[in-house]
Amino acid sequence: MNSQNHFDIMLVIILKPTLEVKSVVREVFESFNFHNESGLLQFWAYNTNPDSEEIGWNLVLTDITCNPTQDQGLEDYRKRCLEKQYPFIGIETSVGNWLAGRAAQTGIADHLTKHYVLRQEDQHSRDIGARGQLVLPVCFDEGAGNKLVGVIEYVTTVRKESYVEDFEQIHDFLKDKGLKSTYMGKTIKVVNGGHMIKFRLPLSAKFTDLLSEVTKRFSDLEHKKFCVKYEDNKGIILPISSDEVLWGCMKDASSKGANFIKMHVSLEHVGC
């Protein structure tokens, strides 16, 4: 056996998820209700190279999959996923429109709905085409934090209005089996006086949750009156003053496929 073949075999062994994880994911796929519609479920395994000096990981598509209607278009999509070389994922690495990579990078579930507007095409968006998509990070609960073990991807032949119901179905299955996923949400970047902080906010978060996260990180704002504004896709700064405005901002960001939402803080006497 030459050294290259030996390396390939070792790589395959390293990339295999544990039997426990494989068993749980298979059960989740078998229990999933497709509502008599075509759909593809597949599992991307998380892998790190212990000898690498780079901070990050790879996702590798496993043999754990479910396509109950044997839809040929979905099978073709899976085949392209298996043949393709996917990039190394670092904390600040650009993953483009590869939603599975983005879910692993941010730790946040995301979906590609009928409202999605593509801002910049790449190979990932060409592969998915007009199909809909949901991606969920799968984690072990380690008390103070979550240990990523992979990403579940759900692909439909037609984009849905929303994948929240599908997310909740998979999320609950994982929880019942001892694994977990995160929430559906967005990364928020807030600028205040030349300083920027970053945190994650669920799509269901309220306006008071946003203010709490901001004051938690900018302690000097705790006893001051301030307002938060967001920058829309046209670069226009708009104030956030209610739950409805925040939800609209989050929905708009999701539909545009934005990786994050940029916000700004202003003291009220300065002008809001």
Side-chain angles (χ1 to χ4, degrees):
M1 181 187 300
N2 63 41
S3 59
Q4 181 60 47
N5 289 340
H6 177 70
F7 174 79
D8 289 343
I9 292 172
M10 288 298 294
L11 185 62
V12 170
I13 293 172
I14 292 170
L15 294 177
K16 282 187 176 180
T18 66
L19 290 175
E20 179 187 358
V21 171
K22 289 182 71 172
S23 175
V24 169
V25 174
R26 287 190 196 280
E27 283 189 59
V28 169
F29 286 10
E30 290 169 2
S31 302
F32 185 78
N33 186 352
F34 287 86
H35 298 288
N36 298 317
E37 297 176 350
S38 294
L40 168 71
L41 284 166
Q42 54 184 15
F43 181 65
W44 299 80
Y46 165 88
N47 172 65
T48 57
N49 182 352
D51 298 323
S52 175
E53 296 181 359
E54 294 184 273
I55 300 175
W57 54 89
N58 292 98
L59 287 181
V60 179
L61 193 57
T62 70
D63 61 351
I64 307 173
T65 183
C66 183
N67 179 6
T69 64
Q70 295 298 301
D71 182 274
Q72 190 56 52
L74 294 175
E75 285 299 312
D76 290 342
Y77 169 72
R78 176 170 169 78
K79 183 179 179 183
R80 286 195 295 275
C81 291
L82 288 165
E83 294 172 346
K84 191 172 179 180
Q85 294 293 319
Y86 285 88
F88 177 83
I89 305 169
I91 296 174
E92 298 294 336
T93 303
S94 174
V95 296
N97 294 309
W98 182 31
L99 255 63
R102 189 185 303 171
Q105 187 178 56
T106 64
I108 301 176
D110 206 351
H111 55 175
L112 180 59
T113 70
K114 62 190 299 184
H115 303 289
Y116 181 86
V117 178
L118 183 66
R119 291 188 297 176
Q120 185 173 356
E121 188 179 54
D122 61 12
Q123 188 57 53
H124 305 298
S125 57
R126 286 189 287 272
D127 286 343
I128 199 69
R131 301 177 186 89
Q133 196 176 21
L134 167 68
V135 289
L136 301 84
V138 179
C139 309
F140 280 124
D141 189 349
E142 292 201 328
N146 299 321
K147 180 181 179 181
L148 182 71
V149 294
V151 173
I152 288 176
E153 179 182 15
Y154 173 45
V155 184
T156 56
T157 55
V158 178
R159 293 182 185 178
K160 297 186 178 185
E161 182 80 21
S162 170
Y163 288 85
V164 172
E165 183 180 333
D166 303 299
F167 165 80
E168 291 176 346
Q169 185 184 167
I170 297 173
H171 179 277
D172 291 346
F173 281 144
L174 289 171
K175 185 178 179 180
D176 290 343
K177 299 297 181 181
L179 290 176
K180 63 184 296 186
S181 186
T182 52
Y183 47 80
M184 297 190 74
K186 282 295 173 187
T187 297
I188 310 295
K189 294 183 179 181
V190 182
V191 178
N192 176 32
H195 299 283
M196 186 182 75
I197 50 97
K198 182 168 64 173
F199 55 88
R200 297 165 186 167
L201 203 63
L203 294 181
S204 59
K206 296 185 177 181
F207 177 54
T208 52
D209 297 323
L210 171 63
L211 296 181
S212 175
E213 291 294 334
V214 171
T215 53
K216 188 187 301 182
R217 291 162 175 80
F218 289 124
S219 56
D220 59 309
L221 296 174
E222 191 171 351
H223 301 294
K224 296 178 181 178
K225 291 185 176 182
F226 66 92
C227 61
V228 181
K229 304 176 183 180
Y230 78 99
E231 186 175 327
D232 71 5
N233 63 317
K234 296 179 181 178
I236 301 173
I237 306 297
L238 301 170
I240 300 174
S241 55
S242 66
D243 295 343
E244 289 73 23
V245 175
L246 176 61
W247 294 335
C249 166
M250 302 272 271
K251 183 177 180 180
D252 181 64
S254 293
S255 69
K256 301 294 190 302
N259 292 347
F260 61 88
I261 302 172
K262 190 173 183 179
M263 298 184 180
H264 302 263
V265 168
S266 297
L267 295 178
E268 286 199 355
H269 70 270
V270 175
C272 289

